[in-house]
Amino acid sequence: MDLEAGISKNYVAKKESWKTVLTLAYQSLGVVYGDLSTSPLYVYRSTFAEDIGHTESNEEIYGVLSLVFWTLTLVPLIKYVFIVLRADDNGEGGTFALYSLLCRHARVNSMPNCQVADEELSEYKKDGFCKAPERSFASRLKATLEKHKVLQNILLVLALIGTCMVIGDGVLTPALSVFSAVSGLELSMSKEHHRYVEVPAACLILIILFALQHFGTHRVGFLFAPIVITWLFCISAIGIYNIFYWNPHVYKALSPYYVFQFLRKTQKGGWMSLGGILLCITGSEAMFADLGHFSQLSIKIAFTAVVYPSLILAYMGQAAYLSKHHDIAHDYHFTFYVSVPEKLRWPVLVIAILAAVVGSQAIITGTFSIIKQCSALSCFPRVKVIHTSSKTHGQIYIPEINWLLMFLCLAVTIGFRDTKRLGNASGLAVITVMLVTTCLMSLVIVLCWHQSVFLAIGFVFIFGTVEALFFSASLVKFLEGAWVPIALAFVFLTVMYIWHYGTLKKYEFDVQNKVSINWLLSIGPSIGIVRVRGIGLIHTELVSGIPAIFSHFVANLPAFHQVVVFLCIKHVPVPHVRPEERFLVGRIGPKGFRLYRCIVRYGYRDVHKDDIEFEKDLVCSIAEMIRTDTERSNAANEEAEKDDKMTVVGSCPSHPILMSDEDTLDNNSSDSSLESAGPLTEVREIKSPKAIQPKKRVRFAIPESPKIDNGIKEELEELMEARESGVAYIMGHSYMRAKPGSSLIKKLVINFGYEFLRRNSRSPSFVDSVPHASSLEVGMMYQV
C-alpha cells in the first residue's frame, strides 16, 4: 500500500478549495451523521415511556420539544462544532486523540519506550502552540501531572472508560436504530403478528449490515450520503407540513420557559425522562471521532446547514402533530410514524430502515478506528487490521471486532425487544463518552491552548452540569437496561488494563535484563562467534541497550550474521509520522562490529509497509546513516561511546546507492544450524510454505564516486553484500510468569489474564508481513 505520500499531505489537501470542502461535507452526511439524523425515530417514544401524561394544555409536549431544542443547540452545535472540533490531533479526533494531545504537552504518556527525539517530530507539537509561562497555572498543573504517577493512571483510566463506552455504543446504537426503524411495521399489522416479525426483521438487517463491513466505508460513502440526504429531506418536509397543518404556533415552545414549566409540573417523572431526551444527541461524538476522515470545515458546514435545521423541523413537526392528538392509544401514541401522513408511511419506513443502517455504519466505523488507536498505543490486544482503501488512510476493517459486535448486537436485540430498554442502555453509553470528552477538554484548554483556568472551569460547569443531569437520569435506570453498557465497559476496561499492565511489565523486564555496551566491547569485533553472510534483524522493544535475546545467541549459538540490526518498531502519540522522519538509525559499538540500531516510528493511524518495501527502506536508511556518519572515529578511545547518537533518516532519502527492481523468488532463509543450549532459550524455525509466490526484489549497487571515503565505501559494500545474501528476521517469543512471592492478584493478571490475551491475540503487523522462510522465533521465559 502506498499511502504514506498522501497521509502527510492529507490534512492540507482538505483545505485546498471549496469544491473539496463541499465534497467532504457531502460524504460526511453518509458517514458521520447517520446516527444523529435517525434520532427522531425514538426520542419522543422513549421520553414519554416514563409516567408523564399528555394533557390538553400541551405543557408536557412543549416542554419536551424545548428540552430537545436546547440540548441539540448546547451539545452538538456549541460544544462540538464550535469548541471540541478545534482540539484535533493534527486532523484526528476522538477520545484517544485528546489523550495523545495531553500526553505530548504534559509528558503523562504511559508508553515506556518514549524518547526525547520523538518530541522533535514535526507533528508532535501543533502549530500555534507555545510553551506556557513558568509560573502560570498551566505549568504548575503540568508539573503536578508529571510528578504523580497516580494522576497519570487516572488520566489513562478516564480515556479507557471513554473508549470502552464508545465500543459499547457500537453494540447498542445499531440495535436501537434498526429496531426503531422496523417498529414502524406496528402501524400496518396487528400486535400478534407484529411481535413475530419485528425482532427477526431487525436481526436479519443487522446481520447483513455487519456482513458488508469488509467492503470498507470508501465504497459506501457516496452511496450512504444520498440516503441520509433523502431521509433528512423527508423528516424536514413532513415536519414543515405538520407545523403548518396542525399547529403553526408550535415555534413558541422553543422558549426555555417551557423547560422550567415542564420540570416544575412533572418533577421526578420529568427528571427521569431526561434519559429519553438524551437520545436526541446520540451520534454527536461521531462528529469528533470521525474527524480524521474529513475536515473541521466540512463537518461544520454539513451540520449547521443541513443536519441541525432538519432535525429541529422534524421535532417541531412531531410536537405540532401530537399537540392536536390526545386520544390515540398509548402504545402507538408517541412513535415517529404516527405523525407521518398515512399514504407516505411505507416509503418513509423503507427510507428510515436504510437511514438506520447508515447510522449504524457510522458508529461501527468509529469503533474500528478507536480500537486500532488503542492497540497502537499498547492499550488493547493486537487484532488484525485490514485497510479497505489504498488511497484514503483511516478506513479500516477489523474482522474479530466486527463479528464480536454483531454477536453482542443480536444478543441485546433479542434480549430486550423494545426501544425503551435499548434507549436506556444506549443513552448511558453516549452521555458517559461526552462526560469523558468534557473532562479531557478542560485539561486541553489549560495545558494545550494555555487559556485561563476560569475558562476551563466555565466549560466544565456549563456542559458538565448539563451532561451530569442526563447521566444521573440514565444511571437510575440501571435495572431497565442501563446495566448493559456498564457491564460491557467493565469487561473491555479489564481486558485493556491487563494488556497495558502486562506490556509495561514485559518492557521493564527487557530494560532490567539488557546487556551493557561494555560487555559487547570486551568480546571484540568478532563477538566471539563466526560471522556468516547476510543481515540479521533482531526485533526488540528496546530503544537503547542490547536485548537479552542477543546475549543468549552469543552465549549458545556458534554463528551469527555479518551485519546485525536491532530493530525496534514503535508507535508514538501522534496520528502520523512523516516518511522523511520515519527511521531513527544509529551505530552500536565501533564501526568494525557492524552492529546497528534502527528505530522505526509510526503514528497510531499509520499504515505499515509490506516486507519488501520495508526491507528496501531499512537498508537504505542504514546506508544513509553510514554515508553521513563521517564525524565518528574508529579509534579505540571512542569505542565506548554512549548508545544515544541517532540519525533521523526518511523512507526515501537521497541514498548513496543505486537500486533496481527484479522479479525473483524470495529465497531468503534463516540459518538452520542455529540451535539453543540455554535452559531458558528455545529456538523454533518456522517452516516455509510449499509454494512461494514470486516477489519483486530490490538489487543495490554503489555508484563510482571519488567523493565517497574508502572506509565508508567498504562499509557500504559489506552492507550491500549482506543484503544480497539475504535477511533473516529473529523475533522473541516470550512467556510471562509472575515472580515467586508475588501477590495473588498479580499472579492472576500475569499468569492467566495477560497470557490468555497474548496467546489469542495477533502477532505484530511487522511479524505478519515477514516471509516465513526468513523468520526465526526464539522463546524466552519472563519472570516479572
Side-chain angles (χ1 to χ4, degrees):
M1 292 187 183
D2 189 18
L3 300 186
E4 288 189 342
I7 288 175
S8 61
K9 300 178 182 178
N10 185 67
Y11 189 54
V12 177
K14 292 175 183 175
K15 300 181 179 180
E16 285 182 351
S17 66
W18 276 104
K19 181 180 178 181
T20 303
V21 171
L22 293 177
T23 301
L24 289 171
Y26 170 79
Q27 288 181 305
S28 70
L29 290 171
V31 178
V32 177
Y33 294 110
D35 185 17
L36 188 61
S37 65
T38 55
S39 58
L41 288 171
Y42 43 78
V43 168
Y44 280 113
R45 185 167 188 171
S46 297
T47 303
F48 284 92
E50 306 300 331
D51 296 329
I52 301 176
H54 180 35
T55 60
E56 295 291 336
S57 65
N58 287 324
E59 288 183 344
E60 295 84 3
I61 193 66
Y62 286 171
V64 171
L65 173 60
S66 185
L67 277 167
V68 168
F69 171 76
W70 287 107
T71 302
L72 277 171
T73 303
L74 280 174
V75 180
L77 184 63
I78 297 178
K79 177 186 173 182
Y80 280 94
V81 170
F82 292 117
I83 301 176
V84 175
L85 285 181
R86 294 181 59 231
D88 65 299
D89 184 11
N90 293 292
E92 302 296 335
T95 304
F96 250 78
L98 290 176
Y99 178 69
S100 68
L101 203 60
L102 292 170
C103 287
R104 300 204 304 274
H105 285 79
R107 290 188 181 180
V108 294
N109 185 18
S110 58
M111 297 173 66
N113 54 0
C114 294
Q115 296 172 281
V116 176
D118 296 339
E119 299 180 11
E120 299 175 2
L121 292 170
S122 55
E123 291 196 8
Y124 201 89
K125 297 291 185 182
K126 288 192 61 181
D127 296 337
F129 283 2
C130 57
K131 188 176 180 179
E134 292 185 3
R135 297 185 179 181
S136 64
F137 180 82
S139 296
R140 294 197 299 270
L141 179 60
K142 175 183 175 182
T144 302
L145 287 173
E146 293 175 348
K147 181 179 179 181
H148 296 89
K149 191 71 175 178
V150 175
L151 296 178
Q152 297 177 21
N153 287 331
I154 291 175
L155 192 62
L156 174 64
V157 171
L158 187 65
L160 292 181
I161 289 174
T163 302
C164 293
M165 284 299 181
V166 170
I167 299 173
D169 197 21
V171 173
L172 297 164
T173 293
L176 177 61
S177 299
V178 173
F179 196 86
S180 299
V182 173
S183 66
L185 296 170
E186 65 186 354
L187 297 178
S188 304
M189 60 180 63
S190 63
K191 285 187 177 182
E192 289 75 15
H193 294 92
H194 171 256
R195 62 180 178 179
Y196 292 111
V197 173
E198 189 176 35
V199 174
C203 291
L204 179 62
I205 293 172
L206 289 170
I207 291 173
I208 295 174
L209 170 65
F210 284 99
L212 294 176
Q213 290 303 308
H214 69 280
F215 289 110
T217 56
H218 72 288
R219 290 188 174 91
V220 295
F222 273 95
L223 175 64
F224 281 178
I227 294 174
V228 175
I229 291 174
T230 304
W231 167 251
L232 290 172
F233 172 78
C234 285
I235 61 175
S236 58
I238 293 171
I240 293 172
Y241 168 80
N242 286 330
I243 291 170
F244 284 97
Y245 188 84
W246 296 109
N247 189 352
H249 301 289
V250 73
Y251 69 90
K252 295 180 180 179
L254 301 183
S255 170
Y257 166 79
Y258 288 93
V259 174
F260 298 107
Q261 285 290 98
F262 171 75
L263 294 176
R264 188 184 68 175
K265 182 176 181 178
T266 56
Q267 296 181 357
K268 183 181 178 180
W271 169 64
M272 294 186 67
S273 70
L274 293 177
I277 294 169
L278 161 66
L279 298 177
C280 73
I281 53 175
T282 56
S284 300
E285 187 71 21
M287 286 192 290
F288 187 45
D290 291 335
L291 181 60
H293 297 185
F294 306 99
S295 66
Q296 288 187 32
L297 186 57
S298 63
I299 289 179
K300 290 178 179 179
I301 290 174
F303 182 78
T304 55
V306 180
V307 179
Y308 179 74
S310 298
L311 290 175
I312 297 301
L313 288 173
Y315 286 117
M316 288 176 66
Q318 283 183 268
Y321 178 88
L322 294 172
S323 67
K324 300 298 181 180
H325 295 80
H326 303 84
D327 54 351
I328 302 176
H330 189 272
D331 289 340
Y332 301 148
H333 195 173
F334 299 101
T335 185
F336 166 78
Y337 295 99
V338 79
S339 64
V340 178
E342 190 171 352
K343 293 182 179 179
L344 298 177
R345 282 178 183 170
W346 277 104
V348 171
L349 174 65
V350 174
I351 298 172
I353 293 175
L354 293 175
V357 171
V358 174
S360 304
Q361 175 67 43
I363 190 63
I364 294 171
T365 302
T367 303
F368 290 158
S369 297
I370 202 166
I371 285 179
K372 180 182 181 295
Q373 294 177 21
C374 292
S375 181
L377 297 177
S378 302
C379 291
F380 197 87
R382 292 183 293 267
V383 290
K384 183 178 182 180
V385 177
I386 299 174
H387 295 268
T388 58
S389 173
S390 60
K391 298 180 180 179
T392 306
H393 77 282
Q395 296 186 358
I396 61 174
Y397 166 68
I398 304 177
E400 298 98 324
I401 301 301
N402 183 65
W403 302 123
L404 177 62
L405 290 179
M406 187 189 78
F407 173 78
L408 294 173
C409 196
L410 293 175
V412 296
T413 302
I414 297 172
F416 285 156
R417 302 186 182 185
D418 68 75
T419 55
K420 178 183 176 181
R421 287 184 289 178
L422 284 172
N424 293 340
S426 179
L428 183 61
V430 168
I431 199 61
T432 304
V433 177
M434 292 182 177
L435 275 171
V436 170
T437 300
T438 299
C439 295
L440 295 178
M441 268 301 302
S442 64
L443 294 176
V444 169
I445 291 173
V446 176
L447 294 175
C448 304
W449 293 353
H450 305 309
Q451 299 296 320
S452 170
V453 64
F454 296 105
L455 185 63
I457 294 174
F459 179 85
V460 173
F461 178 77
I462 295 173
F463 298 107
T465 301
V466 173
E467 290 163 358
L469 284 172
F470 285 123
F471 181 79
S472 62
S474 299
L475 196 61
V476 295
K477 300 174 183 177
F478 180 85
L479 298 178
E480 300 176 34
W483 61 270
V484 173
I486 296 177
L488 289 174
F490 177 78
V491 173
F492 281 106
L493 182 62
T494 302
V495 169
M496 288 179 172
Y497 204 82
I498 288 176
W499 181 263
H500 185 70
Y501 177 78
T503 303
L504 289 179
K505 289 298 178 183
K506 180 177 180 295
Y507 186 81
E508 289 175 4
F509 180 89
D510 286 335
V511 171
Q512 293 169 2
N513 291 273
K514 67 181 180 181
V515 181
S516 67
I517 189 72
N518 294 327
W519 170 83
L520 183 67
L521 295 172
S522 66
I523 58 179
S526 66
I527 323 182
I529 57 176
V530 178
R531 304 294 288 270
V532 297
R533 297 177 63 187
I535 296 178
L537 289 182
I538 301 178
H539 184 251
T540 176
E541 300 294 333
L542 294 176
V543 294
S544 63
I546 300 172
I549 183 177
F550 184 69
S551 65
H552 282 293
F553 270 108
V554 172
N556 303 306
L557 305 178
F560 210 76
H561 302 84
Q562 66 186 107
V563 174
V564 179
V565 180
F566 295 99
L567 179 65
C568 173
I569 298 178
K570 72 171 188 175
H571 289 84
V572 291
V574 295
H576 308 287
V577 175
R578 294 183 179 181
E580 60 268 23
E581 300 173 326
R582 176 81 66 212
F583 292 90
L584 199 59
V585 187
R587 196 189 305 277
I588 299 179
K591 291 183 179 180
F593 279 47
R594 301 295 190 256
L595 264 63
Y596 308 97
R597 181 186 309 285
C598 184
I599 299 173
V600 189
R601 300 176 292 186
Y602 288 97
Y604 55 76
R605 292 182 68 92
D606 273 333
V607 181
H608 292 208
K609 289 188 174 184
D610 58 58
D611 59 296
I612 298 298
E613 188 74 13
F614 179 79
E615 278 185 18
K616 183 195 77 172
D617 286 344
L618 179 66
V619 173
C620 289
S621 64
I622 296 174
E624 179 71 6
M625 186 275 298
I626 294 172
R627 185 181 69 85
T628 58
D629 190 25
T630 57
E631 297 181 357
R632 292 195 181 185
S633 173
N634 206 22
N637 59 350
E638 295 189 6
E639 289 182 349
E641 60 185 338
K642 297 290 184 181
D643 182 31
D644 57 0
K645 293 186 178 180
M646 308 289 285
T647 303
V648 177
V649 183
S651 297
C652 303
S654 56
H655 301 298
I657 52 180
L658 298 176
M659 296 175 290
S660 61
D661 294 340
E662 59 177 7
D663 290 332
T664 62
L665 284 176
D666 188 3
N667 294 322
N668 299 340
S669 60
S670 58
D671 191 352
S672 58
S673 65
L674 302 180
E675 297 179 355
S676 172
L680 295 179
T681 305
E682 174 196 357
V683 178
R684 284 193 295 121
E685 183 178 0
I686 301 178
K687 301 297 182 181
S688 60
K690 294 181 180 180
I692 303 176
Q693 298 297 326
K695 291 184 178 181
K696 181 169 286 189
R697 187 173 171 183
V698 180
R699 183 177 295 277
F700 300 93
I702 301 175
E704 294 294 334
S705 174
K707 296 181 180 179
I708 300 180
D709 181 77
N710 289 334
I712 295 176
K713 186 175 181 180
E714 180 183 351
E715 190 172 0
L716 288 173
E717 287 177 346
E718 187 170 348
L719 177 65
M720 299 305 107
E721 178 187 345
R723 172 62 182 85
E724 292 301 321
S725 299
V727 178
Y729 296 81
I730 295 91
M731 293 160 288
H733 191 79
S734 59
Y735 302 88
M736 285 183 61
R737 287 291 182 270
K739 292 180 179 178
S742 300
S743 65
L744 178 62
I745 295 179
K746 184 176 181 179
K747 289 181 179 179
L748 291 175
V749 169
I750 297 297
N751 297 353
F752 298 98
Y754 180 79
E755 277 300 299
F756 174 81
L757 295 175
R758 185 193 61 78
R759 287 194 301 268
N760 291 278
S761 63
R762 297 274 182 172
S763 301
S765 55
F766 161 75
V767 176
D768 290 336
S769 63
V770 170
H772 290 288
S774 304
S775 60
L776 188 69
E777 285 193 4
V778 180
M780 294 185 65
M781 178 70 73
Y782 284 38
Q783 288 191 342
V784 298

